[in-house]
Amino acid sequence: MHVSVVGSGYIGTTIAAWFAELGHTVTNVDIDEDVVAAVNDGEAPIHEPGLDELMAAYGGDTLVATTDYDEVADSDVTFLALPTPSNDDGSIDLSAMKAAARSLGEVIAEKDGDHLVVVKSTVIPGTTAETIAPIIEDASGKTVGEDFRIAMNPEFLREGFALDDFKDPDKIVIGAEDERAVETLNRVYEPLVEAAAGDPAIVETGIREAEMIKYANNAFLATKVSLINELGNICKEYGVDAYEVADAIALDHRIDEHFLRSGLGWGGSCFPKDVAAIRAAAREREYDPVLLDATVEVNDRQPERLLDLLDDHTDVAGERVAVMGLAFKPGTDDIRYTRAVPVIEGLLERDAEVVAYDPVATENMREQYPDLTYADSAAEALEGASAALFVTDWDEFGALDAEFEAMADPVVIDGRRIVEPRDGIEYDGLTW
Ligand SMILES: NC(=O)C1=CN([C@@H]2O[C@H](COP(=O)(O)OP(=O)(O)OC[C@H]3O[C@@H](n4cnc5c(N)ncnc54)[C@H](O)[C@@H]3O)[C@@H](O)[C@H]2O)C=CC1
Ligand SMILES: O=C(O)[C@H]1O[C@H](OP(=O)(O)OP(=O)(O)OC[C@H]2O[C@@H](n3ccc(=O)[nH]c3=O)[C@H](O)[C@@H]2O)[C@H](O)[C@@H](O)[C@@H]1O
């Protein structure tokens, strides 16, 4: 099939590369000329393990990028993979989606024959049918369900595992109200289902349900982490090992072992904005989402708790303090809503001299905090530091040993249970 993907960011590039690998012809549309040039040169515009190889194989060949929406007309189906960030009040900002829908509508106006538009972005229930479809109708002068079709197909992949998650998903959710849309999407995914190592469930459902399934998925996982963090905080008060407790409750198959690592909490490009958007949407319908409010409150408190622990051990005013890890999780250079930011802010309020280290995210953080000192290695960050705060659970931090001997004062405060307590360091951890 000929598939087009509008937006070549994190999701758009990943799915475009995989659709090419599955044998589809792919046209990628983006407004960013640098992104378009990278794709056509066979280079990945984002950092994701394994993506460079796929881009080298298909970029500029069966995967071609363009800034020109007109090229979408040749495709059978268009996926909209545009950003849906937060407004200041937490509600969803649909401006990129609306702009893309209008541009796409203008192309559909000139097209003979059917076209399927699939919303891949995470959007609030009702958005696809009540906002996106009417914009396309208005710009094209055509009617949804008659002259073109619309569907919603949320994405559940994780950064750092994007390619593996996409090619071997637990489920593929197809939200559509007409048979032809369902049939076309099934054809797009058919080679993926055949190639998948597992046996992905195909969930055929309504458009609103598909939109809500995505928020429910993320809100559930974020709440699970906040719940284990709350329990971990109580464990700490009673001198109980929170990880031993988590390992034991995980044996109950109704709980399972995933997303039970307590610590500094969740960040990233999606949990914070998606939980904020669904809370704002609930309030708009005059429903008070008390549990989701608490999910965020617990998450917001974890960095403060880490800094309180530091205060229990030492006064860092005028002292060099190492911040170990800047990415919102290991395996990515993404620093969006990373827990490192409130930790760094708290240290600066305490007049500490911050030296930060991350294996891959340093350059991104330097743009936000150009005046901090950045170390090129964990050893360099620890040298002469009066305290070290572990923020991201990079494997290399678990292997640190003699490096601690170079600290001026070996106070180690662990936000992720990544350092093993040992003789020679003054260790404390959020949940240990
Ligand atoms: N990043 C992730 O891991 C996941 C993201 N999602 C959802 O996927 C959607 C896209 O997210 P990301 O890929 O992370 O966004 P992103 O910010 O990485 O990329 C968006 C791309 O769209 C382009 N763009 C913006 N306006 C445009 C327009 N009018 N026409 C054409 N291109 C335009 C930008 O230049 C950029 O390259 C969001 O709704 C997000 O919630 C869903 C699952 C996972
Ligand atoms: O909608 C999205 O964008 C994606 O959001 C998350 O994926 P991602 O943000 O890439 O990262 P996760 O691996 O889910 O981690 C999120 C945050 O939770 C934290 N976390 C995770 C698990 C855990 O046990 N403890 C914990 O603190 C991580 O450190 C990280 O800050 C979801 O896992 C994906 O299914 C979803 O598609």
Side-chain angles (χ1 to χ4, degrees):
M1 291 179 82
H2 188 162
V3 175
S4 50
V5 180
V6 179
S8 188
Y10 213 87
I11 291 300
T13 309
T14 304
I15 69 172
W18 251 103
F19 284 147
E21 167 85 354
L22 291 170
H24 298 312
T25 302
V26 187
T27 303
N28 219 170
V29 181
D30 203 287
I31 47 173
D32 186 327
E33 288 182 4
D34 291 341
V35 166
V36 167
V39 172
N40 289 332
D41 287 345
E43 287 165 13
I46 55 148
H47 170 87
E48 184 64 28
L51 191 59
D52 289 344
E53 290 79 358
L54 283 185
M55 295 307 292
Y58 303 109
D61 186 8
T62 51
L63 164 55
V64 174
T66 176
T67 54
D68 183 4
Y69 270 81
D70 286 344
E71 295 190 26
V72 163
D74 294 333
S75 65
D76 311 294
V77 46
T78 303
F79 287 82
L80 295 177
L82 287 314
T84 48
S86 302
N87 290 312
D88 288 345
D89 64 356
S91 63
I92 190 168
D93 172 357
L94 287 172
S95 50
M97 288 295 289
K98 289 179 181 172
R102 182 149 296 282
S103 303
L104 187 58
E106 286 162 8
V107 176
I108 290 175
E110 303 300 323
K111 179 171 174 169
D112 291 329
D114 205 12
H115 197 83
L116 172 63
V117 180
V118 183
V119 172
K120 191 51 144 167
S121 298
T122 303
V123 293
I124 292 295
T127 304
T128 300
E130 288 155 31
T131 302
I132 304 305
I135 292 174
I136 299 174
E137 285 185 316
D138 186 53
S140 64
K142 294 187 174 176
T143 306
V144 67
E146 290 177 21
D147 309 309
F148 72 96
R149 273 141 238 293
I150 196 134
M152 204 279 155
N153 168 227
E155 183 51 58
F156 302 94
L157 62 78
R158 295 161 299 165
E159 292 190 17
F161 302 92
L163 297 176
D164 286 345
D165 283 354
F166 187 72
K167 77 167 188 259
D168 199 13
D170 294 328
K171 58 181 178 280
I172 296 169
V173 176
I174 296 179
E177 317 291 348
D178 80 75
E179 274 309 310
R180 279 177 70 182
V182 175
E183 195 249 326
T184 306
L185 262 174
N186 270 305
R187 273 201 293 136
V188 171
Y189 281 109
E190 199 174 273
L192 185 146
V193 173
E194 278 168 13
D199 189 13
I202 310 280
V203 181
E204 292 180 5
T205 185
I207 291 178
R208 273 174 182 268
E209 284 73 15
E211 292 167 328
M212 190 63 200
I213 286 165
K214 175 63 193 175
Y215 281 102
N217 224 88
N218 273 359
F220 196 98
L221 291 173
T223 303
K224 190 172 180 187
V225 174
S226 282
L227 177 56
I228 199 65
N229 281 340
E230 177 122 300
L231 293 169
N233 294 342
I234 298 170
C235 285
K236 173 98 183 157
E237 295 303 321
Y238 281 86
V240 171
D241 182 336
Y243 275 49
E244 244 184 86
V245 171
D247 287 347
I249 63 173
L251 297 172
D252 186 325
H253 71 277
R254 295 168 302 176
I255 296 175
D256 98 13
E257 84 264 32
H258 300 290
F259 278 67
L260 280 187
R261 287 185 62 84
S262 52
L264 258 181
W266 39 269
S269 66
C270 288
F271 282 1
K273 82 165 173 67
D274 290 349
V275 176
I278 201 65
R279 286 165 70 213
R283 290 221 152 77
E284 204 187 294
R285 296 294 164 102
E286 296 184 357
Y287 177 79
D288 199 13
V290 285
L291 182 55
L292 292 179
D293 289 350
T295 291
V296 174
E297 196 181 331
V298 169
N299 199 52
D300 287 347
R301 280 194 205 156
Q302 294 306 89
E304 290 167 28
R305 287 180 59 84
L306 189 85
L307 291 159
D308 286 347
L309 272 188
L310 175 69
D311 293 339
D312 290 346
H313 288 265
T314 184
D315 176 359
V316 293
E319 302 291 331
R320 176 179 165 104
V321 178
V323 173
M324 306 298 282
L326 303 171
F328 83 92
K329 66 173 187 178
T332 177
D333 64 350
D334 196 339
I335 59 161
R336 286 178 283 182
Y337 291 96
T338 172
R339 311 279 74 203
V341 165
V343 169
I344 289 170
E345 291 290 346
L347 288 172
L348 294 177
E349 275 165 24
R350 287 164 174 75
D351 288 324
E353 186 202 314
V354 176
V355 53
Y357 169 70
D358 190 281
V360 296
T362 300
E363 288 318 308
N364 286 338
M365 194 58 108
R366 202 193 296 276
E367 283 171 24
Q368 198 167 331
Y369 289 97
D371 297 332
L372 295 186
T373 303
Y374 292 92
D376 290 331
S377 67
E380 187 187 322
L382 293 175
E383 197 175 335
S386 298
L389 301 183
F390 284 81
V391 170
T392 313
D393 38 346
W394 287 105
D395 284 345
E396 68 170 79
F397 295 158
L400 291 171
D401 191 9
E403 293 84 349
F404 290 118
E405 289 167 19
M407 291 179 73
D409 198 2
V411 173
V412 171
I413 311 292
D414 195 350
R416 296 285 181 189
R417 189 73 78 99
I418 187 70
V419 177
E420 196 67 32
R422 70 197 71 185
D423 289 343
I425 61 172
E426 190 177 327
Y427 179 95
D428 209 342
L430 260 188
T431 56
W432 202 343

